[in-house]
Amino acid sequence: MSWQGIEGHDAIAERFRRAFARGRIGGTYLFVGPPGVGKRTFAHKLAQLLLCEHPSKEAFAPCNACSACVQVISGTHPDFLLLSKPPEKSFIPLEMLIGDRSERGTERAGLVGHLALTPFSGRYRVAIIDDADYLNVEGANALLKTLEEPPATAVLILISNSPAKQLPTIRSRSQMIRFRPLPEEIAARLLIEQGVVDDPAWARELIRCAGGSLAQAAELASQDLWDLAAKWRKALSTRCFDVNDWSEEVRIYLESAGKEAAMRRRALQQLIGLTLEFFRQALCTMACHSAQTADTSVGEDIGVFLQSTPPVTEDVLYECLECCLAAYQDVERNINQALLIDDWLLQLWHLLNAA
């Protein structure tokens, strides 16, 4: 059984069911977990339940028919607010939290003002911050009073990919709800049902590479990306790739990913992520199998890689993983892309050929 059609999180739904039955819904929740596993959908359905005029305590379900349910689904309910970072902004603007300068101090502007008001109907005022990872220090401080002394009728849900991305002022004042990656069989089935792919084997591979995240798996479902990744894995397996040639090949691929800088950054992160997965697979294979049998138990490229001369060591694999993680983070910091690609590939070449 899945709660309200949201698969993989029944234990969390049961926790909220018990709290709802006892009238013990908290003031602030921090939903954390990989992207694309259902955090936002769960939060939205929970908001609908809290605002529903005829909720079922036994089934822990909204009626889906009353005017409140219809308004929440359409995004027009006066007691419901969904806030997301504007695409053109690096952080959630302070104005979205406490209003512009002329409104600040009135306690009736922005998200904070929304939660402070008496509910228009029902018991609660509910707000969801969909991109809580993009709260800067100023934004987190603006929420501090609401977090410390939430109005009795207020429910705030912050959605985050990782607790490490939240400031201590947020983590210490919120009830943390951890959403785990979806089981591979469930996530692969959902990819097929959503029409992202039609091959079960490829769906499972996408989910493994995406760490159980449906959103990331859908992003990875590009034939151009996988063609390039297959060629790149083969080059890595021989450890004899030309850095200049591959720098040019990666740049050409990124140019084909789109004109917007954000699209190219994401495409580069995807390639780096698949490279990281190559080294992770190699490390796991080394721990579980001998290099002599690796090519029969995993992909041929991993077998060739582990049997190359001189033998690659665990220390080198860990350094390659760290190199990829650092490059991934450098993309987020918007470092010059051409220089980043050259540096990343050159570091990998030195690590693999100094082994």
Side-chain angles (χ1 to χ4, degrees):
M1 294 293 292
S2 60
W3 181 68
Q4 298 296 295
I6 304 170
E7 301 204 47
H9 308 302
D10 287 354
I12 295 175
E14 176 59 20
R15 173 177 174 177
F16 275 105
R17 187 195 67 78
R18 293 194 299 266
F20 184 71
R22 297 194 302 264
R24 299 289 297 275
I25 293 296
T28 305
Y29 294 99
L30 176 61
F31 286 9
V32 298
V37 298
K39 301 187 301 295
R40 183 179 184 275
T41 304
F42 193 104
H44 198 279
K45 185 58 70 172
L46 179 61
Q48 182 186 340
L49 173 69
L50 295 177
L51 296 172
C52 177
E53 296 169 6
H54 311 291
S56 169
K57 288 189 177 182
E58 293 75 18
F60 187 54
C63 71
N64 290 316
C66 68
S67 60
C69 283
V70 173
Q71 287 179 309
V72 172
I73 292 171
S74 64
T76 60
H77 198 293
D79 292 331
F80 176 61
L81 177 65
L82 174 62
L83 183 152
S84 300
K85 179 186 75 67
E88 71 279 5
K89 299 290 185 180
S90 298
F91 295 98
I92 294 175
L94 197 60
E95 291 75 16
M96 298 181 76
L97 301 173
I98 56 175
D100 59 32
R101 293 185 182 280
S102 64
E103 297 173 307
R104 292 172 195 173
T106 64
E107 295 189 349
R108 294 192 177 274
L111 178 142
V112 171
H114 168 85
L115 291 176
L117 293 173
T118 301
F120 183 81
S121 61
R123 295 179 55 191
Y124 298 103
R125 301 276 291 184
V126 183
I128 299 172
I129 300 181
D130 188 28
D131 299 305
D133 289 342
Y134 295 98
L135 283 169
N136 57 14
V137 175
E138 190 177 23
N141 287 339
L143 293 175
L144 191 57
K145 182 178 179 181
T146 300
L147 297 176
E148 289 180 335
E149 302 174 8
T153 57
V155 177
L156 172 62
I157 303 173
L158 301 102
I159 300 176
S160 168
N161 292 336
S162 169
K165 293 186 176 182
Q166 297 304 309
L167 295 168
T169 52
I170 299 290
R171 291 198 305 267
S172 63
R173 293 167 174 83
S174 306
Q175 294 186 49
M176 190 178 300
I177 308 295
R178 293 184 180 273
F179 286 72
R180 301 189 181 281
L182 295 173
E184 183 178 306
E185 63 276 9
I186 292 178
R189 173 171 55 79
L190 290 174
L191 273 184
I192 294 172
E193 289 177 357
Q194 293 171 7
V196 177
V197 297
D198 55 14
D199 178 53
W202 193 22
R204 289 192 295 272
E205 180 67 16
L206 287 171
I207 290 299
R208 282 194 291 268
C209 292
S213 166
L214 283 175
Q216 291 186 356
E219 286 184 356
L220 290 174
S222 161
Q223 192 60 53
D224 289 342
L225 172 62
W226 282 85
D227 289 344
L228 178 65
K231 185 178 179 181
W232 176 224
R233 284 172 66 103
K234 185 175 182 180
L236 285 172
S237 70
T238 66
R239 296 155 65 176
C240 297
F241 59 89
D242 186 285
V243 172
N244 292 327
D245 287 349
W246 269 99
S247 292
E248 181 64 20
E249 185 138 11
V250 172
R251 278 193 284 269
I252 291 173
Y253 168 71
L254 298 183
E255 289 174 1
S256 71
K259 295 182 179 180
E260 296 181 8
M263 296 176 66
R264 296 185 180 187
R265 286 198 299 270
R266 188 61 194 139
L268 180 55
Q269 285 185 317
Q270 290 167 354
L271 181 61
I272 293 171
L274 291 177
T275 307
L276 192 150
E277 177 64 13
F278 173 86
F279 292 119
R280 188 197 67 80
Q281 289 178 359
L283 190 61
C284 290
T285 302
M286 182 180 288
C288 298
H289 307 279
S290 67
Q292 286 73 29
T293 61
D295 58 336
T296 63
S297 56
V298 295
E300 182 180 352
D301 47 17
I302 297 294
V304 171
F305 179 62
L306 293 180
Q307 294 183 69
S308 59
T309 303
V312 67
T313 66
E314 285 190 10
D315 287 343
V316 167
L317 290 178
Y318 278 117
E319 289 184 74
C320 288
L321 287 170
E322 290 175 358
C323 174
C324 291
L325 287 170
Y328 193 98
Q329 293 168 353
D330 284 342
V331 177
E332 290 188 340
R333 287 194 284 267
N334 205 20
I335 291 176
N336 181 277
Q337 200 168 81
L339 294 177
L340 191 159
I341 293 168
D342 290 343
D343 184 60
W344 173 53
L345 295 175
L346 189 59
Q347 284 189 58
L348 287 179
W349 189 93
H350 281 299
L351 289 169
L352 294 175
N353 289 280

